[in-house]
Amino acid sequence: MKTDLCAQDVMTPQVLMAYEGWSIKRLSDFFVKNKISGAPVIASDHSLVGVVTVTDILSFENKSSEEKGELLQEVYAEYVGQIYDDTVLQTMMSKADENCTVNQVMTNHVIKIDGKASLQEVAYVMLQHGIRRIFVTQNGIICGVISTRNILSAIAR
C-alpha cells in the first residue's frame, strides 16, 4: 500500500448535493431517486453550509403541529416578510413538507477535511467524530467525499 496517500487520492469526486432552499418533499424525492440516505447541503454560491440525512426528514415528520407551524412562520417571515394567521397556517401545515426548507432541518456543523490531508488524518478525524463519511473541500467548496469504503479500498490496493 502506498503510505503517502492523501484525501484527494481516495475520495469519490462525484458528490450528490442538496440545496438549502429545497423543500423537504423535494429532498425526500431526491434521496429516494438516488438511493442515498444523506447529502451535503450547499448554498446558491455552492459553499458548503450543512449536511442533511433521512433522520432529519423523519425528525421533521414527527414534529407536532405547533412545531411545524413555527417553522412555517419562520420561512414566511424570513423569505416573504409576512406573518400568517392561524387559518392560513393550518392550510399550509397540511403541506408542510412542501413549504419548509432543507435549511430548517439540516445540521449546520459539517465535519470536513482538506484534500491534502493524509489518509491517516482522515481516518483519525472520522474515528474521533464517529462518522462513516467525510467531505473533502477546497477553498470552502466541496470537491469530494470519503467513506469508510474508500479507505478500505485504498488499504486493500
PDB file of all heavy atoms in Angstrom, residues 136-156:
ATOM      1  N   VAL A 136     -14.663  16.386   1.520  1.00  0.00           N
ATOM      2  CA  VAL A 136     -13.376  16.981   1.181  1.00  0.00           C
ATOM      3  C   VAL A 136     -13.666  18.322   0.517  1.00  0.00           C
ATOM      4  O   VAL A 136     -14.490  18.402  -0.404  1.00  0.00           O
ATOM      5  CB  VAL A 136     -12.580  16.064   0.216  1.00  0.00           C
ATOM      6  CG1 VAL A 136     -11.226  16.661  -0.107  1.00  0.00           C
ATOM      7  CG2 VAL A 136     -12.440  14.662   0.805  1.00  0.00           C
ATOM      8  N   THR A 137     -13.017  19.373   1.023  1.00  0.00           N
ATOM      9  CA  THR A 137     -13.256  20.711   0.483  1.00  0.00           C
ATOM     10  C   THR A 137     -11.960  21.355   0.031  1.00  0.00           C
ATOM     11  O   THR A 137     -10.869  21.004   0.486  1.00  0.00           O
ATOM     12  CB  THR A 137     -13.920  21.637   1.524  1.00  0.00           C
ATOM     13  OG1 THR A 137     -13.067  21.740   2.665  1.00  0.00           O
ATOM     14  CG2 THR A 137     -15.278  21.118   1.943  1.00  0.00           C
ATOM     15  N   GLN A 138     -12.131  22.293  -0.867  1.00  0.00           N
ATOM     16  CA  GLN A 138     -11.023  23.121  -1.320  1.00  0.00           C
ATOM     17  C   GLN A 138     -11.563  24.541  -1.409  1.00  0.00           C
ATOM     18  O   GLN A 138     -12.535  24.792  -2.134  1.00  0.00           O
ATOM     19  CB  GLN A 138     -10.513  22.644  -2.677  1.00  0.00           C
ATOM     20  CG  GLN A 138      -9.280  23.344  -3.139  1.00  0.00           C
ATOM     21  CD  GLN A 138      -8.689  22.692  -4.373  1.00  0.00           C
ATOM     22  OE1 GLN A 138      -9.294  21.833  -5.003  1.00  0.00           O
ATOM     23  NE2 GLN A 138      -7.494  23.106  -4.723  1.00  0.00           N
ATOM     24  N   ASN A 139     -11.015  25.430  -0.616  1.00  0.00           N
ATOM     25  CA  ASN A 139     -11.477  26.822  -0.538  1.00  0.00           C
ATOM     26  C   ASN A 139     -12.964  26.924  -0.201  1.00  0.00           C
ATOM     27  O   ASN A 139     -13.683  27.751  -0.761  1.00  0.00           O
ATOM     28  CB  ASN A 139     -11.187  27.565  -1.847  1.00  0.00           C
ATOM     29  CG  ASN A 139      -9.713  27.594  -2.178  1.00  0.00           C
ATOM     30  OD1 ASN A 139      -8.876  27.728  -1.295  1.00  0.00           O
ATOM     31  ND2 ASN A 139      -9.380  27.429  -3.446  1.00  0.00           N
ATOM     32  N   GLY A 140     -13.441  26.046   0.689  1.00  0.00           N
ATOM     33  CA  GLY A 140     -14.828  26.082   1.136  1.00  0.00           C
ATOM     34  C   GLY A 140     -15.823  25.428   0.192  1.00  0.00           C
ATOM     35  O   GLY A 140     -17.004  25.346   0.486  1.00  0.00           O
ATOM     36  N   ILE A 141     -15.362  24.957  -0.943  1.00  0.00           N
ATOM     37  CA  ILE A 141     -16.230  24.305  -1.926  1.00  0.00           C
ATOM     38  C   ILE A 141     -15.977  22.800  -1.855  1.00  0.00           C
ATOM     39  O   ILE A 141     -14.842  22.343  -1.852  1.00  0.00           O
ATOM     40  CB  ILE A 141     -15.943  24.814  -3.367  1.00  0.00           C
ATOM     41  CG1 ILE A 141     -16.042  26.336  -3.452  1.00  0.00           C
ATOM     42  CG2 ILE A 141     -16.855  24.136  -4.382  1.00  0.00           C
ATOM     43  CD1 ILE A 141     -17.409  26.911  -3.190  1.00  0.00           C
ATOM     44  N   ILE A 142     -17.057  22.035  -1.829  1.00  0.00           N
ATOM     45  CA  ILE A 142     -16.939  20.582  -1.735  1.00  0.00           C
ATOM     46  C   ILE A 142     -16.405  20.012  -3.054  1.00  0.00           C
ATOM     47  O   ILE A 142     -16.859  20.403  -4.124  1.00  0.00           O
ATOM     48  CB  ILE A 142     -18.290  19.957  -1.339  1.00  0.00           C
ATOM     49  CG1 ILE A 142     -18.086  18.547  -0.873  1.00  0.00           C
ATOM     50  CG2 ILE A 142     -19.285  20.011  -2.447  1.00  0.00           C
ATOM     51  CD1 ILE A 142     -19.255  17.997  -0.093  1.00  0.00           C
ATOM     52  N   CYS A 143     -15.407  19.145  -2.941  1.00  0.00           N
ATOM     53  CA  CYS A 143     -14.833  18.561  -4.152  1.00  0.00           C
ATOM     54  C   CYS A 143     -14.818  17.030  -4.106  1.00  0.00           C
ATOM     55  O   CYS A 143     -14.393  16.389  -5.057  1.00  0.00           O
ATOM     56  CB  CYS A 143     -13.432  19.107  -4.402  1.00  0.00           C
ATOM     57  SG  CYS A 143     -12.238  18.793  -3.097  1.00  0.00           S
ATOM     58  N   GLY A 144     -15.302  16.454  -3.003  1.00  0.00           N
ATOM     59  CA  GLY A 144     -15.348  15.002  -2.917  1.00  0.00           C
ATOM     60  C   GLY A 144     -15.863  14.532  -1.575  1.00  0.00           C
ATOM     61  O   GLY A 144     -16.128  15.338  -0.679  1.00  0.00           O
ATOM     62  N   VAL A 145     -16.006  13.232  -1.470  1.00  0.00           N
ATOM     63  CA  VAL A 145     -16.442  12.609  -0.226  1.00  0.00           C
ATOM     64  C   VAL A 145     -15.611  11.346  -0.020  1.00  0.00           C
ATOM     65  O   VAL A 145     -15.249  10.664  -0.989  1.00  0.00           O
ATOM     66  CB  VAL A 145     -17.961  12.288  -0.239  1.00  0.00           C
ATOM     67  CG1 VAL A 145     -18.325  11.292  -1.322  1.00  0.00           C
ATOM     68  CG2 VAL A 145     -18.434  11.822   1.126  1.00  0.00           C
ATOM     69  N   ILE A 146     -15.284  11.087   1.231  1.00  0.00           N
ATOM     70  CA  ILE A 146     -14.559   9.862   1.575  1.00  0.00           C
ATOM     71  C   ILE A 146     -15.428   9.083   2.550  1.00  0.00           C
ATOM     72  O   ILE A 146     -15.853   9.614   3.578  1.00  0.00           O
ATOM     73  CB  ILE A 146     -13.201  10.176   2.241  1.00  0.00           C
ATOM     74  CG1 ILE A 146     -12.310  10.956   1.281  1.00  0.00           C
ATOM     75  CG2 ILE A 146     -12.520   8.875   2.692  1.00  0.00           C
ATOM     76  CD1 ILE A 146     -11.020  11.448   1.911  1.00  0.00           C
ATOM     77  N   SER A 147     -15.663   7.834   2.197  1.00  0.00           N
ATOM     78  CA  SER A 147     -16.413   6.943   3.086  1.00  0.00           C
ATOM     79  C   SER A 147     -15.449   5.895   3.632  1.00  0.00           C
ATOM     80  O   SER A 147     -14.307   5.777   3.166  1.00  0.00           O
ATOM     81  CB  SER A 147     -17.541   6.256   2.317  1.00  0.00           C
ATOM     82  OG  SER A 147     -16.994   5.351   1.378  1.00  0.00           O
ATOM     83  N   THR A 148     -15.922   5.138   4.588  1.00  0.00           N
ATOM     84  CA  THR A 148     -15.087   4.052   5.116  1.00  0.00           C
ATOM     85  C   THR A 148     -14.738   3.081   3.988  1.00  0.00           C
ATOM     86  O   THR A 148     -13.652   2.512   3.971  1.00  0.00           O
ATOM     87  CB  THR A 148     -15.795   3.313   6.269  1.00  0.00           C
ATOM     88  OG1 THR A 148     -17.109   2.948   5.858  1.00  0.00           O
ATOM     89  CG2 THR A 148     -15.872   4.178   7.506  1.00  0.00           C
ATOM     90  N   ARG A 149     -15.635   2.933   3.056  1.00  0.00           N
ATOM     91  CA  ARG A 149     -15.387   2.054   1.898  1.00  0.00           C
ATOM     92  C   ARG A 149     -14.188   2.554   1.085  1.00  0.00           C
ATOM     93  O   ARG A 149     -13.370   1.757   0.635  1.00  0.00           O
ATOM     94  CB  ARG A 149     -16.639   1.966   1.034  1.00  0.00           C
ATOM     95  CG  ARG A 149     -16.491   1.042  -0.160  1.00  0.00           C
ATOM     96  CD  ARG A 149     -17.791   1.034  -0.982  1.00  0.00           C
ATOM     97  NE  ARG A 149     -17.669   0.170  -2.116  1.00  0.00           N
ATOM     98  CZ  ARG A 149     -18.075  -1.081  -2.166  1.00  0.00           C
ATOM     99  NH1 ARG A 149     -18.667  -1.620  -1.116  1.00  0.00           N
ATOM    100  NH2 ARG A 149     -17.926  -1.797  -3.249  1.00  0.00           N
ATOM    101  N   ASN A 150     -14.076   3.876   0.891  1.00  0.00           N
ATOM    102  CA  ASN A 150     -12.934   4.432   0.160  1.00  0.00           C
ATOM    103  C   ASN A 150     -11.624   4.105   0.880  1.00  0.00           C
ATOM    104  O   ASN A 150     -10.629   3.749   0.232  1.00  0.00           O
ATOM    105  CB  ASN A 150     -13.039   5.960   0.031  1.00  0.00           C
ATOM    106  CG  ASN A 150     -14.183   6.424  -0.807  1.00  0.00           C
ATOM    107  OD1 ASN A 150     -15.230   6.796  -0.295  1.00  0.00           O
ATOM    108  ND2 ASN A 150     -14.019   6.415  -2.124  1.00  0.00           N
ATOM    109  N   ILE A 151     -11.635   4.219   2.185  1.00  0.00           N
ATOM    110  CA  ILE A 151     -10.434   3.957   2.981  1.00  0.00           C
ATOM    111  C   ILE A 151     -10.075   2.461   2.892  1.00  0.00           C
ATOM    112  O   ILE A 151      -8.910   2.106   2.668  1.00  0.00           O
ATOM    113  CB  ILE A 151     -10.607   4.411   4.431  1.00  0.00           C
ATOM    114  CG1 ILE A 151     -10.715   5.944   4.456  1.00  0.00           C
ATOM    115  CG2 ILE A 151      -9.440   3.930   5.298  1.00  0.00           C
ATOM    116  CD1 ILE A 151     -11.091   6.515   5.817  1.00  0.00           C
ATOM    117  N   LEU A 152     -11.064   1.602   3.058  1.00  0.00           N
ATOM    118  CA  LEU A 152     -10.801   0.158   2.967  1.00  0.00           C
ATOM    119  C   LEU A 152     -10.301  -0.228   1.580  1.00  0.00           C
ATOM    120  O   LEU A 152      -9.396  -1.067   1.455  1.00  0.00           O
ATOM    121  CB  LEU A 152     -12.058  -0.625   3.329  1.00  0.00           C
ATOM    122  CG  LEU A 152     -12.475  -0.567   4.794  1.00  0.00           C
ATOM    123  CD1 LEU A 152     -13.826  -1.229   4.991  1.00  0.00           C
ATOM    124  CD2 LEU A 152     -11.422  -1.200   5.686  1.00  0.00           C
ATOM    125  N   SER A 153     -10.851   0.373   0.531  1.00  0.00           N
ATOM    126  CA  SER A 153     -10.397   0.086  -0.831  1.00  0.00           C
ATOM    127  C   SER A 153      -8.936   0.506  -1.018  1.00  0.00           C
ATOM    128  O   SER A 153      -8.154  -0.210  -1.646  1.00  0.00           O
ATOM    129  CB  SER A 153     -11.269   0.815  -1.857  1.00  0.00           C
ATOM    130  OG  SER A 153     -12.567   0.305  -1.831  1.00  0.00           O
ATOM    131  N   ALA A 154      -8.560   1.662  -0.463  1.00  0.00           N
ATOM    132  CA  ALA A 154      -7.182   2.134  -0.572  1.00  0.00           C
ATOM    133  C   ALA A 154      -6.233   1.183   0.152  1.00  0.00           C
ATOM    134  O   ALA A 154      -5.142   0.869  -0.357  1.00  0.00           O
ATOM    135  CB  ALA A 154      -7.060   3.541   0.009  1.00  0.00           C
ATOM    136  N   ILE A 155      -6.639   0.686   1.317  1.00  0.00           N
ATOM    137  CA  ILE A 155      -5.813  -0.242   2.075  1.00  0.00           C
ATOM    138  C   ILE A 155      -5.693  -1.577   1.332  1.00  0.00           C
ATOM    139  O   ILE A 155      -4.613  -2.169   1.251  1.00  0.00           O
ATOM    140  CB  ILE A 155      -6.382  -0.455   3.487  1.00  0.00           C
ATOM    141  CG1 ILE A 155      -6.244   0.830   4.301  1.00  0.00           C
ATOM    142  CG2 ILE A 155      -5.692  -1.628   4.191  1.00  0.00           C
ATOM    143  CD1 ILE A 155      -7.002   0.826   5.625  1.00  0.00           C
ATOM    144  N   ALA A 156      -6.795  -2.025   0.737  1.00  0.00           N
ATOM    145  CA  ALA A 156      -6.797  -3.310   0.006  1.00  0.00           C
ATOM    146  C   ALA A 156      -5.922  -3.267  -1.238  1.00  0.00           C
ATOM    147  O   ALA A 156      -5.371  -4.298  -1.634  1.00  0.00           O
ATOM    148  CB  ALA A 156      -8.224  -3.688  -0.370  1.00  0.00           C
TER     149      ALA A 156
END
